Amino acid sequence: MNNKIAALLNEQINKEFYSAYLYLDMANYYDELDLDGFANYYMIQAQEERDHALLFMKYMQNNGLKVTLEAIGKPDKTYSSPMEPLVAAAEHERYVTSLINNIYHEAHQDKDYRTMKFLDWFVDEQMEEEDNADSMISRFKLFGSDSKGLYLLDQEYAGRVYTAPSLVL
Ligand code: MG
């Protein structure tokens, strides 16, 4: 495999762990507000991001590539309303989509069909992540502006349960 692609895959492990860290930080923010359902939602989101990191790691292992784990950046955003993490999450997912697209582009240039096929799952996943993040914003705008609506949204997000990723390597 082309060294540039291997380096991008290795970097993506770190980016996915950073995503997990970012979502844990959001979970902590909601926990402080006693919005336990939102906190639960982001705890589970963090688990999913860790899964993504492990999938990139496993793909590298399966292809005999050396994995180098780097330091994970500190989540440095501060939030001053329950809406702000939702917006930050949607922005972050768009950024992750651009990262996946960039690796895909390199794989395509290099006729690395195996990596393209591996990334297909992430291309679909990013569409879902962006869609979910956007709908959390629009639902918050619709229902979150009064305390009863916010309570019901929080109750709903309390019901999110973790499911392992459908991709198995
Ligand atoms: Mg991810």
Side-chain angles (χ1 to χ4, degrees):
M1 189 184 294
N2 164 329
N3 285 341
K4 190 173 180 186
I5 297 170
L8 288 171
L9 292 169
N10 194 83
E11 227 173 87
Q12 196 61 29
I13 298 172
N14 187 271
K15 301 284 187 183
E16 300 291 345
F17 274 122
Y18 175 77
S19 299
Y21 233 40
L22 185 70
Y23 291 133
L24 285 178
D25 193 48
M26 291 179 184
N28 286 331
Y29 171 72
Y30 286 117
D31 184 75
E32 282 168 26
L33 298 180
D34 285 324
L35 287 168
D36 294 350
F38 283 85
N40 172 64
Y41 187 95
Y42 284 107
M43 283 299 289
I44 289 167
Q45 195 60 34
Q47 277 179 283
E48 280 197 359
E49 300 304 343
R50 174 187 170 276
D51 290 340
H52 297 166
L54 296 182
L55 285 167
F56 277 96
M57 196 169 90
K58 185 76 181 157
Y59 180 72
M60 291 188 74
Q61 289 171 346
N62 288 353
N63 283 278
L65 298 167
K66 181 174 166 49
V67 174
T68 307
L69 296 179
E70 302 289 351
I72 303 167
K74 180 180 174 176
D76 54 4
K77 286 191 193 310
T78 50
Y79 307 112
S80 52
S81 80
M83 172 64 129
E84 286 182 13
L86 308 182
V87 174
E91 277 170 11
H92 183 69
E93 287 304 332
R94 282 187 171 76
Y95 166 65
V96 174
T97 297
S98 76
L99 297 174
I100 300 291
N101 286 349
N102 183 47
I103 309 173
Y104 206 105
H105 175 75
E106 292 298 331
H108 184 254
Q109 297 281 93
D110 202 52
K111 295 189 165 62
D112 180 351
Y113 302 113
R114 186 189 294 170
T115 298
M116 287 162 69
K117 193 164 186 288
F118 164 70
L119 290 174
D120 280 340
W121 185 87
F122 285 91
V123 171
D124 291 343
E125 176 71 10
Q126 283 312 118
M127 179 174 67
E128 210 177 298
E129 299 284 29
E130 286 184 33
D131 186 41
N132 290 340
D134 287 344
S135 94
M136 285 185 81
I137 294 171
S138 52
R139 299 176 86 243
F140 194 94
K141 284 180 183 162
L142 281 169
F143 312 120
S145 53
D146 73 64
S147 56
K148 192 173 172 187
L150 184 59
Y151 176 77
L152 291 172
L153 274 181
D154 192 59
Q155 291 287 101
E156 184 183 325
Y157 295 139
R160 184 181 185 188
V161 290
Y162 169 74
T163 48
S166 57
L167 178 63
V168 179
L169 295 178

